[in-house]
Amino acid sequence: MKIYHTKNNIKILNLRNTTNNLNSNFKTLIISNNSKNAWSNAINSLKAIKFKKSKIIYPSNKKKLDFSIFTKILLKFKIFYDQFNINKKIIDELNYNNFQKIIIIQPFNIYGSTLKKIKKEHKGIEIIALFIDPLLHQNYFTFNLIFSLRYFDKIIYRQPFNEKYLNILNKNFKIRCFPGVTKIKKKLGKKKYLYDVTFIGTYEKERFELLEYLSQNDIKVTVFGNGWQNIKSNKNLIIKGKAIYGAKFYKTIFSSKINMGFLRKDNQDVYNSKTVEILAAGGFMLSEYSPYIKKIFKNNKELVFFNHNKLELLKTVKYFLNNSKLREKIKNNGFKKVNEGLFNYSSQLLKIINFKT
């Protein structure tokens, strides 16, 4: 069965029913882009796959990556210095153990010389890049990619930003996939709501202005996430001031009457992980409009779209706060859609990993 369809010469993963069989016969080395104790949907999804043999290499065992001043300066010039010696760790691991596949998450810090050496000394090994962020966007692109992308046998990515230029840097298999989730609630139980309107995510000016407008019009808004430390809470705008992940994230979504699904303007996102995660957690979602999301989820049936007209957004929020029956119906429909099995990220990745090019 073909796992993808093609549009404008771009391969796009088919959203077909996934399977609970997550077995893989491949010995796989996984390279994380984050510290061992940080939350990572990609790592958790790969952990759920039962590889014949697997090992994960982390840059650090701390709670978060602590980049040096030198590394930060080089990043300003779009050069990613390998502060944590990931390239050496990969080579050393391959010298001691045999692997059939290497999966590198967000490989902005991987050198082309490292991948060239692997190709030369370990014949038949397949090297896979897994990008969460738009790799050709100025916020993420590093000059390392100019020299490394050509060596990847497969490139998995999410955002369509500048994807037509990928063929210049890589002639091999590339595929775009819709965001998925690792954890999906099996049933929606009854829950006492703790929050009226909730947003979980990073500060952006446009997001703040909309949320502030809602709060100024007697809507109680609660915000979790990074970058909000300079915003003061008030009676209707409660800034929790830290990011939440895992069980706490899902519990908060389920405890909120309305969950805001913003897209990052700075990244020119057309969807993100929360597009699926909010619905998977059993949350009602007001999603920023995107034609890419509209192709997957039905407006006013599985979620509700909004634009950046403040007055229209306020009317929509008030309407759904006052119409719990319709809100619950849409929430349940969205939850059922996600539970059809289309969005299991582990299954999505496994299909691509196992695919013979």
Side-chain angles (χ1 to χ4, degrees):
M1 183 182 293
K2 202 169 185 179
I3 69 166
Y4 65 87
H5 62 279
T6 303
K7 185 176 182 180
N8 298 326
N9 293 320
I10 302 296
K11 294 180 178 65
I12 304 169
L13 184 70
N14 291 331
L15 280 177
R16 291 202 176 110
N17 285 349
T18 53
T19 174
N20 291 324
N21 183 1
L22 295 176
N23 296 317
S24 173
N25 292 323
F26 296 107
K27 298 176 182 178
T28 304
L29 179 63
I30 300 167
I31 315 301
S32 174
N33 67 313
N34 216 329
S35 59
K36 188 173 183 178
N37 294 310
W39 170 263
S40 171
N41 190 35
I43 283 292
N44 290 335
S45 297
L46 290 169
K47 279 183 176 180
I49 298 173
K50 298 177 179 65
F51 292 105
K52 186 175 182 179
K53 172 186 176 181
S54 67
K55 181 172 182 177
I56 302 175
I57 294 178
Y58 295 94
S60 168
N61 290 329
K62 296 181 179 179
K63 284 188 176 181
K64 64 178 182 178
L65 295 183
D66 188 14
F67 290 120
S68 66
I69 295 175
F70 179 69
T71 301
K72 291 177 181 178
I73 291 173
L74 287 180
L75 277 173
K76 288 185 178 293
F77 295 95
K78 301 300 178 184
I79 300 170
F80 206 136
Y81 170 65
D82 184 15
Q83 175 183 334
F84 302 101
N85 295 315
I86 286 294
N87 289 268
K88 183 179 184 301
K89 289 176 182 177
I90 295 172
I91 296 297
D92 289 346
E93 184 63 36
L94 291 175
N95 286 336
Y96 286 100
N97 292 291
N98 292 321
F99 291 96
Q100 296 161 287
K101 294 181 185 283
I102 306 174
I103 302 172
I104 309 177
I105 302 170
Q106 302 272 75
F108 297 105
N109 60 336
I110 302 301
Y111 302 145
S113 57
T114 299
L115 302 182
K116 184 178 180 180
K117 182 180 177 68
I118 292 171
K119 288 288 186 183
K120 183 179 179 180
E121 297 181 359
H122 303 274
K123 302 293 184 183
I125 197 166
E126 185 177 70
I127 308 176
I128 303 171
L130 174 56
F131 288 98
I132 310 302
D133 297 309
L135 64 154
L136 297 182
H137 193 286
Q138 62 180 2
N139 288 353
Y140 301 97
F141 180 80
T142 64
F143 287 114
N144 305 52
L145 292 178
I146 294 176
F147 304 101
S148 65
L149 277 181
R150 72 184 74 175
Y151 295 107
F152 287 103
D153 300 291
K154 292 176 183 173
I155 295 177
I156 307 168
Y157 64 99
R158 286 185 182 177
Q159 299 292 344
F161 181 84
N162 276 345
E163 63 185 342
K164 61 184 178 181
Y165 298 113
L166 264 176
N167 280 329
I168 298 173
L169 298 170
N170 181 283
K171 303 297 183 184
N172 299 321
F173 184 83
K174 298 168 289 294
I175 188 166
R176 188 211 313 157
C177 62
F178 198 80
V181 289
T182 307
K183 181 179 179 180
I184 299 177
K185 288 175 69 70
K186 293 182 179 179
K187 291 183 179 180
L188 284 181
K190 289 186 177 181
K191 183 72 180 179
K192 182 180 179 181
Y193 288 112
L194 303 177
Y195 312 103
D196 285 346
V197 176
T198 297
F199 172 62
I200 302 174
T202 306
Y203 170 88
E204 281 190 347
K205 183 181 177 183
E206 294 84 357
R207 296 173 173 183
F208 167 63
E209 289 175 348
L210 286 175
L211 296 175
E212 182 185 44
Y213 179 77
L214 292 178
S215 70
Q216 290 170 344
N217 287 273
D218 296 323
I219 304 296
K220 199 164 188 177
V221 180
T222 306
V223 179
F224 300 83
N226 296 318
W228 296 87
Q229 61 272 12
N230 294 325
I231 306 299
K232 292 183 179 180
S233 294
N234 56 50
K235 182 179 71 171
N236 288 327
L237 183 62
I238 298 97
I239 307 296
K240 293 295 185 178
K242 62 179 180 179
I244 55 175
Y245 305 99
K248 189 170 183 180
F249 171 88
Y250 286 98
K251 184 178 179 180
T252 302
I253 293 294
F254 191 50
S255 302
S256 305
K257 293 178 182 177
I258 295 175
N259 295 277
M260 301 299 297
F262 287 107
L263 302 174
R264 291 201 70 173
K265 292 289 181 295
D266 199 28
N267 290 353
Q268 298 184 41
D269 284 353
V270 297
Y271 40 58
N272 55 35
S273 296
K274 292 186 183 69
T275 302
V276 179
E277 288 172 342
I278 289 173
L279 300 178
F284 172 86
M285 179 164 66
L286 276 186
S287 171
E288 188 170 346
Y289 176 79
S290 163
Y292 289 83
I293 300 175
K294 189 179 179 182
K295 289 178 183 177
I296 308 297
F297 296 106
K298 295 178 181 177
N299 187 31
N300 293 319
K301 184 175 180 181
E302 295 159 342
L303 49 70
V304 176
F305 285 118
F306 72 89
N307 56 38
H308 280 246
N309 182 301
K310 291 181 179 179
L311 183 58
E312 288 301 315
L313 175 60
L314 177 62
K315 288 179 180 178
T316 301
V317 168
K318 284 185 174 180
Y319 178 79
F320 282 105
L321 285 176
N322 293 325
N323 287 271
S324 60
K325 191 172 181 179
L326 178 58
R327 189 184 70 233
E328 293 297 307
K329 182 179 179 180
I330 294 172
K331 179 187 82 170
N332 289 335
N333 288 338
F335 177 75
K336 287 176 183 177
K337 176 67 173 279
V338 173
N339 258 302
E340 287 176 355
L342 305 178
F343 304 98
N344 184 307
Y345 198 33
S346 300
S347 183
Q348 287 183 12
L349 293 176
L350 183 59
K351 282 193 288 187
I352 301 171
I353 292 166
N354 288 343
F355 181 71
K356 292 182 180 180
T357 57

